[in-house]
Amino acid sequence: MAEKVLLVKFGEVAMRGDNQYIFINRLILAIRRNLDPVGHYYVVREPGRLIVEDRGGEMDYDTVIPRVEPIFGLVGLCPGLKLDEMSLETLKKDALAHMQEMYGDKPMTFKVNARRSNKGFEARSQQICEDVGEYILDNMPNMKVNVKTPDVVLYVEVRNRIYLYSKVIKTYGGLPYGSSGKGVSLLSGGIDSPVATWMMAKRGVEVEGVYFHSPPYTSEWAKQKVIDLAKRIADFTGSFKLYVVPFTDLQLYLLENVPHDKLTIHLKRAMMRAAEQIAVKDGAWSLITGESVGQVASQTMQGIYAINAVCNMPVLRPLAGMDKQEIIDIGTKIGTYDISIRPYEDCCTIFVAKHPQIKPRLHVIERIEKKLTDLDQHIADAVEKAEVIEL
Ligand code: ATP
Ligand code: MG
């Protein structure tokens, strides 16, 4: 009897030369971490593929696929069969059984695509295609062959064992989580920063979040929203460390001591400095923000310049060149958008300037900050008092 398995395809990872081994191990660990809580699964390594097998009985794809799908570095999941015999006769029968189970008697077109890396097998790829195709045609009157644009391609991979599948579920791609160093993400409850955080995590960056909280001016609801966003990101990354940094005192200090139209720029600079201190402490190499060029007053090129000047670390801005709608589309796909647009009320808008300065000049901003003798201490205190939430 053929066994139901999940064939897992990985992308860019395959090209990484010497690192390949480490990368693939990360993928195996991630798959096992996600599947261990729900059964007895085993991950077998084949050249260019990982094969997930269920040692506890027949595989239930509705349980397995949603848990493997979010893993970064994977490009496709194929529910398929692992055959128990290395013979063309068995292959023909199992291929037919697979096609019947998947497509019943719906009228459709198909072709067979066979790859034989095990040269000891009795038939060559071309012959496998012909024999299996003919057997299916003979036994499924609803099926027709179409070599150019078939509805279904039946893939046959003859390795140490024979695998077959006909459905490829496309996944996110990217690089294995944690394979690209660490970054600290400035995570607000908005639409953009969760998407930015997710995008860098997808590129293998181990991410931590920093949220600047200013009670009572920002509500507990706002904080809860950020926690829920962090949880959603953890569905992809496995875990997520969130710092909630109390920023009320610092914000009130700025409110009193800087011109109102420059408040946002000074506040953003303070956020960057606090985040960078946390990043240094935690061994991170970069900061991440959800800034998008031109989106709001503080995200003009001059605004970004003035904010950026306060950091030594590279600031990754994966959304810099994206339109709002593109960001919303990603947020919707990854399940952060619905959390981000949850309504909540902050009690007061005293920190929001009616006419924020759109083109701040760095030397002016720096001159003002030179006089803010307590600023460093406020930042240090805020970082010191941060609440750490492990998700
Ligand atoms: P978002 O949708 O991510 O809130 P935004 O469009 O509201 O972004 P801004 O308010 O200008 O834009 O913020 C720019 C970036 O600064 C955010 O994407 C986020 O990375 C960071 N940021 C802003 N406010 C906070 C906060 N309270 N805590 C942590 N990071 C913040
Ligand atoms: Mg915001």
Side-chain angles (χ1 to χ4, degrees):
M1 266 272 291
E3 179 192 345
K4 279 189 180 172
V5 295
L6 185 70
L7 284 92
V8 177
K9 299 185 175 186
F10 42 88
E12 261 179 83
V13 173
M15 299 179 287
R16 285 283 195 112
D18 287 349
N19 283 337
Q20 198 192 59
Y21 189 79
I22 300 167
F23 279 45
I24 292 171
N25 272 344
R26 280 187 189 275
L27 295 177
I28 294 174
L29 284 176
I31 294 171
R32 292 200 359 215
R33 185 196 61 217
N34 289 8
L35 290 180
D36 277 353
V38 293
H40 297 284
Y41 297 93
Y42 202 79
V43 185
V44 181
R45 192 188 294 237
E46 283 273 3
R49 297 267 184 280
L50 295 172
I51 317 288
V52 180
E53 300 180 358
D54 190 339
R55 295 288 161 90
E58 190 177 86
M59 178 170 284
D60 173 20
Y61 292 117
D62 293 340
T63 303
V64 172
I65 290 173
R67 286 179 167 262
V68 179
E69 216 172 4
I71 296 172
F72 297 131
L74 306 180
V75 296
L77 305 181
C78 321
L81 294 177
K82 173 182 169 181
L83 310 199
D84 57 355
E85 272 179 53
M86 295 297 288
S87 85
L88 189 56
E89 272 317 296
T90 313
L91 170 57
K92 280 165 29 180
K93 292 200 177 97
D94 286 338
L96 175 65
H98 172 83
M99 293 298 274
Q100 280 169 335
E101 182 180 342
M102 297 287 286
Y103 309 104
D105 46 19
K106 257 192 285 171
M108 56 200 319
T109 61
F110 80 107
K111 77 168 177 182
V112 182
N113 180 323
R115 256 188 35 200
R116 183 186 65 148
S117 52
N118 179 347
K119 302 297 177 201
F121 188 68
E122 62 186 279
R124 305 178 124 206
S125 301
Q126 184 56 33
Q127 196 196 336
I128 296 171
C129 290
E130 282 166 17
D131 286 18
V132 171
E134 195 177 287
Y135 193 71
I136 290 169
L137 277 178
D138 288 348
N139 289 283
M140 292 180 79
N142 54 313
M143 286 286 176
K144 283 199 171 65
V145 169
N146 180 336
V147 185
K148 278 216 174 108
T149 53
D151 299 324
V152 175
V153 180
L154 173 66
Y155 292 92
V156 177
E157 297 186 357
V158 181
R159 300 165 175 267
N160 286 328
R161 302 290 291 266
I162 301 174
Y163 300 93
L164 54 89
Y165 60 93
S166 59
K167 198 165 123 186
V168 183
I169 300 159
K170 202 167 166 285
T171 52
Y172 297 106
L175 295 170
Y177 184 64
S179 63
S180 306
K182 200 190 269 188
V184 166
S185 183
L186 286 82
L187 187 63
S188 73
I191 294 168
D192 304 327
S193 48
V195 172
T197 309
W198 181 88
M199 284 179 69
M200 294 326 302
K202 179 163 86 74
R203 290 304 298 169
V205 178
E206 184 186 346
V207 286
E208 292 181 356
V210 177
Y211 168 58
F212 298 97
H213 189 40
S214 303
Y217 305 103
T218 50
S219 65
E220 279 306 300
W221 294 107
K223 176 180 165 187
Q224 188 56 46
K225 208 164 106 168
V226 177
I227 294 172
D228 291 345
L229 285 165
K231 272 191 200 144
R232 182 65 196 133
I233 293 165
D235 290 340
F236 294 91
T237 60
S239 61
F240 192 86
K241 186 175 181 183
L242 176 67
Y243 287 85
V244 178
V245 179
F247 240 36
T248 313
D249 290 349
L250 184 140
Q251 261 186 280
L252 290 171
Y253 175 73
L254 290 178
L255 185 66
E256 248 171 57
N257 292 288
V258 306
H260 207 53
D261 67 336
K262 298 181 180 60
L263 190 56
T264 305
I265 296 290
H266 287 288
L267 177 61
K268 287 274 150 67
R269 282 167 60 93
M271 286 183 181
M272 296 303 246
R273 288 180 56 191
E276 193 172 65
Q277 287 179 17
I278 290 171
V280 168
K281 204 162 52 102
D282 281 6
W285 295 88
S286 63
L287 301 177
I288 300 160
T289 75
E291 288 161 308
S292 168
V293 172
Q295 200 190 79
V296 291
S298 60
Q299 295 175 20
T300 59
M301 201 56 83
Q302 292 88 339
I304 291 176
Y305 182 82
I307 294 167
N308 197 79
V310 86
C311 308
N312 292 311
M313 277 189 191
V315 181
L316 307 178
R317 298 180 175 86
L319 313 185
M322 292 173 81
D323 298 347
K324 195 73 187 183
Q325 191 56 49
E326 294 176 280
I327 300 167
I328 290 173
D329 289 347
I330 298 175
T332 305
K333 189 177 76 174
I334 65 175
T336 55
Y337 180 69
D338 282 346
I339 304 170
S340 295
I341 58 169
R342 226 188 260 163
Y344 65 88
E345 272 176 42
D346 282 339
C347 75
C348 171
T349 51
I350 53 169
F351 299 110
V352 182
K354 264 222 176 69
H355 300 288
Q357 192 171 42
I358 289 173
K359 296 183 176 179
R361 305 283 295 271
L362 181 59
H363 68 274
V364 178
I365 298 290
E366 284 178 340
R367 200 163 59 217
I368 296 168
E369 273 182 23
K370 268 215 179 87
K371 296 187 194 135
L372 303 180
T373 43
D374 293 344
L375 182 61
D376 292 358
Q377 193 56 47
H378 275 296
I379 292 174
D381 285 350
V383 170
E384 168 81 28
K385 290 187 190 133
E387 175 192 3
V388 182
I389 304 174
E390 301 273 359
L391 297 158

PDB file of all heavy atoms in Angstrom, residues 118 323 331 358:
ATOM      1  N   ASN A 118      16.922   7.882  -9.848  1.00  0.00           N
ATOM      2  CA  ASN A 118      17.411   6.533  -9.536  1.00  0.00           C
ATOM      3  C   ASN A 118      17.560   5.748 -10.848  1.00  0.00           C
ATOM      4  O   ASN A 118      16.612   5.207 -11.391  1.00  0.00           O
ATOM      5  CB  ASN A 118      16.401   5.857  -8.610  1.00  0.00           C
ATOM      6  CG  ASN A 118      16.791   4.439  -8.250  1.00  0.00           C
ATOM      7  OD1 ASN A 118      17.691   3.855  -8.858  1.00  0.00           O
ATOM      8  ND2 ASN A 118      16.109   3.880  -7.270  1.00  0.00           N
ATOM      9  N   ASP A 323       3.064  51.121  -2.344  1.00  0.00           N
ATOM     10  CA  ASP A 323       1.836  51.896  -2.185  1.00  0.00           C
ATOM     11  C   ASP A 323       1.026  51.312  -1.030  1.00  0.00           C
ATOM     12  O   ASP A 323       1.165  50.138  -0.699  1.00  0.00           O
ATOM     13  CB  ASP A 323       0.970  51.808  -3.447  1.00  0.00           C
ATOM     14  CG  ASP A 323       1.670  52.393  -4.657  1.00  0.00           C
ATOM     15  OD1 ASP A 323       2.690  53.081  -4.465  1.00  0.00           O
ATOM     16  OD2 ASP A 323       1.194  52.139  -5.777  1.00  0.00           O
ATOM     17  N   GLY A 331      -0.872  42.642   4.168  1.00  0.00           N
ATOM     18  CA  GLY A 331      -1.432  42.538   5.520  1.00  0.00           C
ATOM     19  C   GLY A 331      -2.657  41.628   5.555  1.00  0.00           C
ATOM     20  O   GLY A 331      -2.866  40.872   6.509  1.00  0.00           O
ATOM     21  N   ILE A 358       6.938  69.592   7.287  1.00  0.00           N
ATOM     22  CA  ILE A 358       7.055  68.548   6.256  1.00  0.00           C
ATOM     23  C   ILE A 358       8.503  68.375   5.806  1.00  0.00           C
ATOM     24  O   ILE A 358       8.921  67.272   5.448  1.00  0.00           O
ATOM     25  CB  ILE A 358       6.130  68.894   5.076  1.00  0.00           C
ATOM     26  CG1 ILE A 358       4.669  68.702   5.535  1.00  0.00           C
ATOM     27  CG2 ILE A 358       6.387  67.983   3.884  1.00  0.00           C
ATOM     28  CD1 ILE A 358       3.642  69.149   4.554  1.00  0.00           C
TER      29      ILE A 358
END
